[in-house]
Amino acid sequence: MRIETVDAIPPAAAPFDARVEGQRLMRDWYTALEQAPARGQHVANVFVMGNAVEILRTFDFQLVFPEINSLQTGVRKASEEYIRLSEDYGMSPDVCSYVKADVGLILKENEHPAGRIPKADIAIASNMCSTFIKWAEIWERLLKTPTFVLDLPGQRAGNWKVRPGDAQHAADARWVEAQFRDLIEKCETITGKRFDMDRLAEVEDRVNKMVFHWNNVMALNRVCPAPFNAMLDGLTYIGIMNVYRGAQEGVDFMRNIEAELRAKVARGEGRVPEERYRLLFSGTPCYVSMRRLVELFETWGGVFAYSDYLTFAAGGMDAGELVYDTSRPLESLAEITALAAQRGLSNQFFAHERLAQQIRDYDVDGIVFHGIKSCRFVSSGMADTRDYLNKRLKMPSLYIESDLIDPRYWSDAQIKNRVDAFFETLHQSGGAPRANKSVSSESGRAA
Amino acid sequence: MTTATTAEAELNVVLEYCNDVRMAPIPDAGSLPEGFAGTLGHFPVYFPEEVAHAAGLLPVAVLGGGNRLELKHADARMGSFVCSICRSTAELGLNGSLQGLSGFITHPICDAAKHLAGIWARNFPEQLSQILYLPQNVNTPGAVRYIAAEFQRLRSELEKKSGRSVDDESLRRSIGIYNDNRRLLREIYALRRDEPWKLSCTESYLLTRARSRMPAEEHNGLLKRALDAARQRNLPAQDKPRVVFVGGFCEQPPIEMLEAIDSNCYVVDDDLLIGLRWLTQDVPEAGDPIWALAESFVERSAASPVQHDERKTKEGYLMEMIRSSKADAAILTAAKFCEPGLDEQIAWAKHLDNTDIQYLVLEFEEKMTSFEQMAMQLETFAESLLFAVAA
Ligand code: SF4
Ligand code: SF4
C-alpha cells in the first residue's frame, strides 16, 4: 500500500552530497525566515514533537523551529553567549538550555547567528515534552504570542498496546481531531484564509512520500557495515525531516539520500572504513561537540547504527504504519498524530521497551546513553533504563554526560577516557571485529 | 478550664495526630480502614480520588520522602539533577516502602514525573502503574469528553484491581463525601484569610495533608474538630505582614520551613497541596458522576504552574490570590531542580517588579535540614514589610 503512493527512485543525475545539500536547504530555510515579514507571510513557532505542521503548511505559515534555532547556536559555537544572557536575566542554570538560548535570542531582539528570526503569529506547543508548554508560556509573556497547546494522549503504561482503530485509539484520535478543528479556526482568523481540505491532502501526500523514504533510510542502517552514522549524518537528515516535512524539497532530499545509501550498501561501503562495533545512541546530541564525540567512537571502529533521537525528534514517524489516508485528510491526521504520540514520542517514558526492540532491529553490541541534566525528557529515567537493560538483556552500555548546547558541560578528557574504557571492556569481553558479519536490511523498496 | 483552653488542647490533639499520620507508613493490608480493599498511590498534582474511593481503594497521596529519608537506591536510578520528590518517590518504591500499593498513578505535570511511570513499569510490574493523561489543553471544546473517557478507563482499571464494581450510586456517594471535604478545606482557608492568628500555615498544612493517608470521611471528622477548636482559640493578632506563599504545588517544603515563615508572617493563602484542593466548588451530585468530575476539572478548578489554561495566566492567578486574601506581599518559592517551578518563579518575580507588591524568593528542597539562613531572610523580609506598611 505504501509503495503505491511513492514515486520510483530515479537514478541520481549528479553525485548527491547529503551534507552539502542539507546545509543548502537549512540556509534556504533561514533566508525564508528572514524574508517572511517582507512577504507578508504568517509565521508559526512549532516544536519537533507533535506540531500540526500539516495544518500550518496548508495555511502557508512560515515555520520557525525554536529547538533548531537553539541547536544551531550550538553548532555555530555561539550558544554560550545566548545562554549567559538568559541567566543574567534570571533564568535558572537548571532549566533546559534550549529554552535559555531562546530567551537569549529574545533578549538579542531575535538576532540569530543564521539570520533574523521573525516574530510568530501563533505558537503550537504539545505536551510531549512538558518543557514545550513552559517555553511557549515565555513567548506568551514576553512576546504576546498566542499559544495553542496541542494535548496528545500519550502512552499510559508499560506494555501499552495501541492499535489503529481500537477503542482507545479512536477515543484519543477524536480528542486530537477536536483540537485540530479548533486550531484550524484559529488559523483562519489569523490568516484570513479559508481552510482547504484538498491542500491538506496534498501536504499529507508529500509527508507520506518523505516518511516512506525516511523509513527506508533508517532500515538501511540495519545492514553491516552501516552506511551512515545515526548521530552525525542522521542529524542532517533529521533537520531536513523536520523543516521540510510536507514540502517537495523534503521528499526529494529524502529520496536522494535513500538512493545514495542504497548505492553505498550495494558497494559494501560503511560509514567507518572498518566497522567493528555497532552501537545504539540513546538521548539527545551534544551539538557543540558532536563531531568530536562521534570521532571518539569511530576511531575504535564504532558506529552509531541507530539512535532513539531519530525517532522522537523526527516526530515519531518511523514508528510504523504511520501513513496518512489522504481520502480523509483531517481524520487521518488526527489518527496518525495520536498513534505517533504513543509509539514514537511519549514512549520515551518507557524507553526500555523501545530500546529493547531497537537493539534487536539494529543488532547492536552496546548502548551509549548520553545524559543531559537540563533535558529531563530524555534523562530522568535513563539510569534506571540502563540498569534494566544491563540486567535483562546483558547489554553493555556506557553513560556519558554533557549538554545539548552548553559548552560549559563538555569535558573532553573525561569523556575520552570513558569511551576508551568502554571499548576496552567490549574488546576484552569478546566483542569480535564485525567486518564480515552480515545483517540483512529489511527495508522496503519503491517499485 | 476555659473554652479557649479546651479548644487549644483539642486542636493540639488533632494536630499531633495529623503529624503522626504524616510520618506514618502507608497502611498495609492489615491496617486498612474498614471498607477498603487496598491502597492507590497518586503523585501530585491532581487525581480524582473519588474514583479510587468508590472502588474501595484508599487514595494515598505520595508526597515524597521528607527530610528524614536516606536515599540508598534512587541516586543510582535517577540523576542528581532531578527534583527531590521524584527521587525520594523512586527511593520509597525501591526500598519497599510502597510495595503495599495496589497501584501508582502519576501525571503529565512535568517530564520527571512522567518518568516515574517508567521506573514503576520496570521495577514494580505487579502494581497498576499509569500516567493519567489529564489534558494540558482544557480550552478546546471536547476536553470534558476526553477527560470523562480517561476517568471511565480509570474506573474500569480500578474495578479490575480491587475486584469491586463501581456503580454510579457509589461514585456519587464518594463525590458527596469529597464535596464535604472540599467545603471544610475552603473554610480552613477562609479562616486563615479572615483571622490568620487562629490557624497558622503549618497547622493548616498538617490538617490538609492528613487526607493523604485516611478515608475522606474520617478526614472530614478531623477537619470539623479542628475548625471548631481553631475558631474558639483565643490568640491575639500579632503585628505580622500578610503574605501569600506559592511554589508548593508539588514537592513539599519541609515543615521547618513553613514554621519559619509562620514565625514572621501570616500566610493568608498558599498553593500547598493544591492538588488535594483542586476542585474549587462542589461537584454536581446529580447526573453522570464521571461527567461531573470531568467537567469540574475544566470548569471549577484551581491553577498551578504545571497546568496550562488560557483562562488563567500564572501572573493572573497569583495577583488574584494576593487581591482576594488582602496580602501585602508574596513569597515566591521553587523546589530545587523543578523546571516548571523555576520558570514560574522568575515570571512571577518579573511581574511583581512592575507592581508595588514586594516579594521574597526562596528555593527549597524537601530534604533540607538547615533553616537558619532562610529564617534570617524571612525576618529581614518581614521587618522591611512592616516598615513599609508603617511608613
Ligand atoms: S527538555 Fe529536552 S526535549 Fe524538552 S525542549 Fe528541552 S531539550 Fe527539548
Ligand atoms: S517538583 Fe517540579 S519537577 Fe518535580 S515532579 Fe513536581 S513539578 Fe515535576
Side-chain angles (χ1 to χ4, degrees):
Chain A
M1 208 168 58
R2 185 177 295 192
I3 290 169
E4 285 165 11
T5 65
V6 172
D7 307 335
I9 301 174
F16 176 79
D17 185 329
R19 191 159 156 247
V20 171
E21 184 58 10
Q23 283 174 346
R24 183 187 71 76
L25 286 172
M26 279 312 225
R27 264 196 315 277
D28 289 355
W29 174 57
Y30 274 112
T31 306
L33 289 186
E34 279 206 304
Q35 293 170 347
R39 281 200 307 267
Q41 200 177 3
H42 289 94
V43 175
N45 280 3
V46 292
F47 295 101
V48 297
M49 297 191 288
N51 51 23
V53 155
E54 288 77 358
I55 289 174
L56 296 166
R57 272 207 198 285
T58 305
F59 282 100
D60 284 325
F61 275 94
Q62 179 63 52
L63 303 177
V64 174
F65 286 83
E67 292 153 296
I68 296 179
N69 290 341
S70 289
L71 77 85
Q72 283 291 332
T73 66
V75 171
R76 290 158 199 256
K77 312 283 182 215
S79 48
E80 193 167 345
E81 181 195 351
Y82 288 83
I83 291 172
R84 280 193 195 276
L85 266 177
S86 73
E87 288 179 354
D88 292 345
Y89 173 78
M91 299 289 292
S92 163
D94 296 326
V95 305
C96 167
S97 49
Y98 273 9
V99 177
K100 284 192 290 185
D102 189 62
V103 169
L105 182 65
I106 295 171
L107 296 171
K108 274 174 80 84
E109 299 191 338
N110 282 6
E111 282 305 333
H112 186 275
R116 194 176 180 78
I117 309 299
K119 207 168 157 234
D121 300 288
I122 188 168
I124 316 295
S126 81
N127 58 335
M128 293 291 92
C129 163
S130 298
T131 297
F132 292 165
I133 299 171
K134 302 310 291 177
W135 194 344
E137 286 174 354
I138 293 175
W139 300 325
E140 281 185 321
R141 213 168 261 141
L142 298 183
L143 303 170
K144 309 282 169 258
T145 313
T147 292
F148 186 87
V149 171
L150 179 60
D151 180 78
L152 304 177
Q155 177 174 343
R156 318 298 206 281
N159 211 9
W160 176 262
K161 299 274 180 273
V162 52
R163 292 184 186 82
D166 69 16
Q168 185 65 57
H169 178 237
D172 292 345
R174 203 162 43 230
W175 167 226
V176 176
E177 188 184 326
Q179 294 176 84
F180 282 158
R181 289 188 187 280
D182 193 7
L183 175 64
I184 285 169
E185 271 182 35
K186 292 191 162 64
C187 292
E188 286 182 331
T189 310
I190 290 169
T191 61
K193 289 182 192 166
R194 297 265 317 154
F195 175 63
D196 182 342
M197 199 63 92
D198 294 337
R199 282 208 66 195
L200 177 62
E202 286 163 22
V203 172
E204 289 183 353
D205 183 47
R206 290 194 287 272
V207 175
N208 281 347
K209 289 173 178 162
M210 192 179 191
V211 168
F212 173 80
H213 295 302
W214 172 248
N215 281 331
N216 285 349
V217 165
M218 297 299 106
L220 278 167
N221 241 26
R222 295 181 186 184
V223 173
C224 180
F228 70 93
N229 192 311
M231 286 312 281
L232 202 60
D233 316 284
L235 299 185
T236 302
Y237 309 164
I238 201 176
I240 304 306
M241 179 72 197
N242 278 306
V243 173
Y244 286 92
R245 173 163 152 175
Q248 188 56 42
E249 294 96 319
V251 182
D252 296 342
F253 180 82
M254 218 48 85
R255 183 199 295 123
N256 283 330
I257 288 181
E258 186 187 340
E260 183 215 357
L261 294 174
R262 277 196 191 284
K264 238 177 137 175
V265 169
R267 293 193 300 271
E269 258 177 54
R271 155 76 203 189
V272 286
E274 197 193 340
E275 182 177 296
R276 292 167 65 89
Y277 301 103
R278 297 172 62 81
L279 302 169
L280 206 158
F281 185 98
S282 180
T284 40
C286 44
Y287 279 103
V288 264
S289 313
M290 205 57 217
R291 238 164 230 293
R292 170 67 180 148
L293 185 70
V294 166
E295 179 187 284
L296 291 177
F297 287 90
E298 289 193 342
T299 49
W300 283 89
V303 66
F304 294 122
Y306 196 71
S307 166
D308 53 5
Y309 187 65
L310 299 188
T311 295
F312 65 75
M317 295 303 277
D318 67 328
E321 296 176 65
L322 304 185
V323 181
Y324 296 125
D325 176 353
T326 53
S327 68
R328 350 172 351 260
L330 193 59
E331 295 82 352
S332 177
L333 183 67
E335 289 158 11
I336 296 297
T337 303
L339 211 53
Q342 295 177 36
R343 288 188 177 174
L345 305 177
S346 62
N347 55 345
Q348 174 64 23
F349 304 109
F350 305 90
H352 58 290
E353 297 175 350
R354 175 166 78 200
L355 289 171
Q357 181 64 41
Q358 290 165 350
I359 285 167
R360 282 192 288 276
D361 289 350
Y362 289 84
D363 190 26
V364 297
D365 305 302
I367 307 189
V368 176
F369 290 97
H370 183 224
I372 303 276
K373 288 186 181 181
S374 71
C375 176
R376 289 162 181 88
F377 172 78
V378 298
S379 306
S380 304
M382 201 175 254
D384 188 60
T385 303
R386 184 183 177 209
D387 180 82
Y388 180 92
L389 293 176
N390 277 347
K391 282 188 188 139
R392 301 293 174 105
L393 303 182
K394 308 275 177 278
M395 191 32 55
S397 64
L398 168 69
Y399 179 83
I400 48 175
E401 213 171 85
S402 72
D403 191 78
L404 280 146
I405 52 166
D406 192 334
R408 297 171 296 181
Y409 292 93
W410 175 263
S411 161
D412 198 79
Q414 200 183 37
I415 291 181
K416 180 173 186 314
N417 279 344
R418 293 182 64 91
V419 172
D420 289 348
F422 173 62
F423 279 113
E424 268 152 25
T425 320
L426 268 188
H427 188 65
Q428 277 159 18
S429 60
R434 311 272 308 202
N436 297 323
K437 182 171 179 186
S438 88
V439 180
S440 68
S441 161
E442 292 168 22
S443 66
R445 167 111 207 205
Chain B
M1 279 208 290
T2 64
T3 324
T5 324
T6 321
E8 197 63 40
E10 164 77 346
L11 191 59
N12 270 339
V13 170
V14 174
L15 288 171
E16 249 172 59
Y17 178 62
C18 290
N19 198 36
D20 291 346
V21 168
R22 175 176 76 94
M23 313 289 280
I26 56 156
D28 58 20
S31 59
L32 278 173
E34 207 188 314
F36 290 92
T39 45
L40 183 75
H42 60 93
F43 197 69
V45 172
Y46 171 73
F47 175 74
E49 289 187 13
E50 290 87 338
V51 184
H53 183 271
L57 294 174
L58 180 70
V60 168
V62 176
L63 297 169
N67 56 10
R68 300 199 183 166
L69 179 74
E70 196 190 335
L71 299 197
K72 290 188 181 148
H73 310 85
D75 277 345
R77 303 295 187 85
M78 270 196 137
S80 55
F81 46 83
V82 176
C83 66
S84 285
I85 186 173
C86 278
R87 283 194 294 144
S88 66
T89 298
E91 179 70 29
L92 291 171
L94 294 165
N95 77 10
S97 302
L98 299 179
Q99 71 182 4
L101 292 177
S102 308
F104 173 69
I105 311 287
T106 184
H107 308 282
I109 53 169
C110 70
D111 298 307
K114 283 181 265 183
H115 273 292
L116 284 175
I119 290 183
W120 245 253
R122 286 185 288 275
N123 295 285
F124 320 113
E126 69 289 354
Q127 288 189 14
L128 170 78
S129 126
Q130 296 217 336
I131 303 176
L132 179 63
Y133 264 89
L134 289 168
Q136 285 292 347
N137 172 1
V138 286
N139 308 110
T140 287
V144 174
R145 178 167 146 168
Y146 163 70
I147 300 167
E150 278 300 283
F151 287 178
Q152 194 59 47
R153 182 174 62 77
L154 182 72
R155 169 178 174 164
S156 53
E157 306 247 22
L158 298 185
E159 281 178 335
K160 265 186 251 150
K161 197 76 200 170
S162 73
R164 194 180 293 183
S165 81
V166 182
D167 59 22
D168 283 0
E169 212 32 65
S170 58
L171 193 47
R172 277 192 211 103
R173 216 170 18 250
S174 295
I175 288 174
I177 292 167
Y178 276 84
N179 277 341
D180 289 343
N181 193 266
R182 284 183 269 271
R183 181 178 46 73
L184 290 161
L185 288 172
R186 287 197 298 270
E187 286 182 33
I188 296 247
Y189 273 75
L191 179 65
R192 282 176 52 200
R193 190 183 57 226
D194 299 338
E195 298 173 278
W197 48 90
K198 291 205 162 159
L199 199 66
S200 72
C201 175
T202 311
E203 290 166 339
S204 134
Y205 172 78
L206 286 173
L207 286 168
T208 310
R209 185 169 168 157
R211 198 180 94 204
S212 67
R213 291 283 183 283
M214 66 179 65
E217 45 274 57
E218 185 186 338
H219 192 233
N220 287 346
L222 270 186
L223 292 181
K224 274 187 207 137
R225 281 171 65 192
L227 265 169
D228 284 349
R231 284 184 177 124
Q232 291 175 48
R233 244 179 170 178
N234 189 11
L235 293 177
Q238 291 176 358
D239 206 10
K240 289 185 192 173
R242 296 169 64 95
V243 301
V244 300
F245 173 101
V246 282
F249 55 93
C250 182
E251 183 164 322
Q252 304 300 294
I255 286 287
E256 296 89 334
M257 173 172 167
L258 298 181
E259 286 170 342
I261 297 173
D262 280 331
S263 313
N264 294 285
C265 308
Y266 284 132
V267 182
V268 284
D269 201 1
D270 62 54
D271 66 354
L272 294 160
L273 298 168
I274 192 71
L276 302 187
R277 306 181 282 122
W278 190 252
L279 304 185
T280 52
Q281 295 167 38
D282 284 358
V283 176
E285 289 175 47
D288 178 352
I290 285 285
W291 187 269
L293 284 168
E295 195 200 22
S296 297
F297 181 85
V298 173
E299 300 299 342
R300 293 175 278 273
S301 50
S304 89
V306 289
Q307 177 65 53
H308 187 83
D309 185 338
E310 62 192 31
R311 298 166 300 182
K312 305 170 191 166
T313 67
K314 313 298 187 272
E315 294 85 343
Y317 82 75
L318 173 64
M319 294 308 286
E320 178 53 26
M321 281 172 84
I322 292 172
R323 191 200 58 75
S324 60
S325 63
K326 299 191 184 69
D328 310 313
I331 296 180
L332 312 177
T333 73
K336 197 167 167 52
F337 300 123
C338 168
E339 181 147 11
L342 290 164
D343 284 341
E344 226 50 80
Q345 190 178 46
I346 173 166
W348 280 327
K350 297 272 176 200
H351 181 78
L352 292 183
D353 283 340
N354 296 323
T355 69
D356 55 3
I357 296 162
Q358 294 198 48
Y359 62 89
L360 175 68
V361 169
L362 295 177
E363 193 177 78
F364 70 87
E365 249 189 311
E366 64 169 25
K367 62 177 190 193
M368 277 168 81
T369 48
S370 164
F371 302 91
E372 290 82 18
Q373 207 194 339
M374 192 179 268
M376 263 162 50
Q377 277 177 284
L378 283 160
E379 208 175 310
T380 315
F381 177 61
E383 273 169 17
S384 74
L385 284 174
L386 290 176
F387 182 73
V389 171

